[in-house]
Amino acid sequence: MMHKKYPILSSLLIATVLSAGSAPLAHGAESQPAAAAPSAVTFKINDVHYSNNTGEHSLLSAPYLSNGNTMVPVRAAAESLGASISWNNKDRLITLSGKGFGTIKFTLNSSYAVNAKGQKIKLPEQVRQAMGTVFVPARALASLMGIRLQWEPSAHTVTLTNQADTPVRLDFNYPFTKDTEGWKGGFADLPISYNKEIYELDYSRSLIPVPNNTSNYGLKLAGHNRSDDLFMYLSKGIGGFKPNTSYNVNLKFAMYTEAGGGSIGIGGSPAESIFLKAGILSTEPLSVPTSSLGEEYYRMNVDIGSQGSGGKDVKVIGNAAKPYADKEGYQRVDFDYSAKVTANAKGQISLLIGADSGFEGLTTLYFDDIKVSAQANGSGK
């Protein structure tokens, strides 16, 4: 039986991603694209956290404004953008080296930098040090390195992007050998006041339950459909792309299921009524609180469609039936999905893998061997 899902406004920004028995987000470490050099870094004024292509990191001292100039930590910026950096304590000299700009030299407490040609370049603010962290003016650093700078006044963030080092092809691989590799797990299409005990929601990194397996881990998604509908999903944002550029992206992954095809269950089949969906997006997919006909539900902020039908942003790519229904236990099913997407202004895209349930019972799936390949449109192979 199909149940209509009510559309929600994508402007809803409250993130609600649930893990087993609780509402907080389940976090993992970000991974690095196999063929991409670091190419972007974002700092926020008065915030000791910054982000680059490998995830979020911490600083001893936060970026700040000085006479209208944004001061950023030179080591974090340089290393995030693929440059090397050295420190000469005797001369209080910082030297940056990198492809495309050669060398840049900054001296602590000086208002000048020296470029690869040996020319002295006037800086709008002196090079300063705070808690062992050396700060330089962001706009001057961008100009000297030949990179792009984007300032977002409302968010008080500055993003530096080394577009020259952004490859036309990127490849990512997530085997979950050590951790969740930055993938998040979430649930939607259930009441905000849901009973945690009866919904049995679970997102975790777990051993895949196949015979003789002692080392192969995957991402587990489990949930009991108690509200005529349940959407379980994995998501991840990845960077290293050229900002505002269109890419053809291919997503491959393995799913392990124990549901046999042709079986019957409450509301639908535990196999054919669990619809596998995928999306390759410019914005982060989130489960957000919303009102539908006077009821409060968690709904997705992107269009996932309704059970067996795909939406504008997310498409149906199969179901949860295992290949051999007469054999017991979990079996592997491989999926392949491709779409065109435009990277956002920070050079990022988001991935979504979901299971949309029309079966009013407990579903437990495992995901592994997620591979992503992206090719910039108009580029050669």
Side-chain angles (χ1 to χ4, degrees):
M1 179 178 176
M2 301 297 179
H3 300 271
K4 181 178 179 183
K5 296 180 183 175
Y6 298 93
I8 67 170
L9 297 176
S10 60
S11 59
L12 289 170
L13 299 177
I14 304 173
T16 308
V17 183
L18 310 174
S19 61
S22 63
L25 204 63
H27 288 285
E30 294 286 333
S31 66
Q32 183 71 13
S39 60
V41 58
T42 299
F43 300 100
K44 185 174 183 178
I45 300 302
N46 298 326
D47 192 333
V48 293
H49 300 96
Y50 73 98
S51 62
N52 59 22
N53 295 341
T54 63
E56 188 175 275
H57 309 279
S58 298
L59 299 162
L60 293 176
S61 186
Y64 62 94
L65 290 175
S66 179
N67 299 317
N69 297 290
T70 303
M71 303 293 287
V72 296
V74 65
R75 179 175 292 278
E79 292 180 345
S80 295
L81 295 166
S84 61
I85 183 170
S86 63
W87 164 254
N88 183 320
N89 190 57
K90 179 182 177 182
D91 298 326
R92 314 290 280 173
L93 182 70
I94 305 101
T95 302
L96 273 60
S97 302
K99 181 180 178 182
F101 64 85
T103 60
I104 306 167
K105 296 181 179 181
F106 296 98
T107 303
L108 197 61
N109 300 324
S110 172
S111 297
Y112 290 89
V114 178
N115 63 18
K117 297 180 180 179
Q119 300 168 324
K120 291 182 68 175
I121 308 297
K122 184 73 166 67
L123 303 174
E125 285 291 320
Q126 286 188 353
V127 178
R128 294 295 188 186
Q129 187 178 45
M131 296 180 66
T133 303
V134 177
F135 289 85
V136 299
R139 197 163 297 278
L141 178 65
S143 177
L144 287 162
M145 292 182 68
I147 60 177
R148 178 175 177 265
L149 181 146
Q150 181 180 3
W151 166 251
E152 296 183 11
S154 60
H156 300 288
T157 61
V158 59
T159 298
L160 302 172
T161 305
N162 192 344
Q163 299 184 74
D165 286 347
T166 304
V168 296
R169 178 182 174 87
L170 298 94
D171 294 287
F172 306 80
N173 184 26
Y174 306 101
F176 309 114
T177 305
K178 296 181 179 180
D179 52 41
T180 63
E181 300 193 57
W183 284 82
K184 303 172 184 177
F187 304 85
D189 296 334
L190 73 164
I192 290 177
S193 59
Y194 74 96
N195 185 325
K196 296 178 181 179
E197 292 184 1
I198 67 172
Y199 270 82
E200 302 177 78
L201 304 182
D202 185 12
Y203 163 66
S204 59
R205 174 178 172 267
S206 304
L207 274 172
I208 298 172
V210 294
N212 304 315
N213 178 30
T214 59
S215 60
N216 187 17
Y217 282 81
L219 300 183
K220 176 184 178 181
L221 276 179
H224 199 132
N225 179 359
R226 298 282 187 175
S227 56
D228 298 334
D229 206 357
L230 179 66
F231 184 69
M232 312 186 298
Y233 68 95
L234 304 173
S235 68
K236 180 174 172 61
I238 55 178
F241 298 87
K242 187 173 182 179
N244 305 312
T245 299
S246 177
Y247 285 82
N248 292 313
V249 182
N250 176 251
L251 169 65
K252 291 183 171 68
F253 63 92
M255 178 197 70
Y256 289 81
T257 174
E258 63 175 347
S263 54
I264 299 174
I266 302 172
S269 165
E272 288 91 351
S273 292
I274 305 294
F275 302 97
L276 269 291
K277 296 184 175 182
I280 299 170
L281 312 162
S282 298
T283 57
E284 182 181 5
L286 297 168
S287 173
V288 296
T290 189
S291 298
S292 298
L293 300 178
E295 294 183 298
E296 298 291 325
Y297 272 76
Y298 288 115
R299 304 291 190 192
M300 295 303 295
N301 67 337
V302 294
D303 186 359
I304 64 172
S306 177
Q307 294 186 6
S309 300
K312 176 176 65 70
D313 304 309
V314 179
K315 307 300 180 184
V316 176
I317 59 173
N319 59 44
K322 60 185 178 182
Y324 306 102
D326 57 338
K327 295 183 179 180
E328 294 185 0
Y330 278 85
Q331 297 173 22
R332 175 174 173 144
V333 184
D334 290 301
F335 291 89
D336 191 318
Y337 173 72
S338 295
K340 183 183 293 185
V341 67
T342 298
N344 66 20
K346 295 182 180 180
Q348 301 168 339
I349 69 170
S350 290
L351 307 173
L352 180 144
I353 298 170
D356 206 344
S357 174
F359 164 59
E360 296 179 26
L362 179 65
T363 296
T364 303
L365 303 171
Y366 296 81
F367 297 85
D368 191 21
D369 290 337
I370 301 177
K371 295 180 174 64
V372 182
S373 174
Q375 182 84 26
N377 283 321
S379 62
K381 292 183 178 180

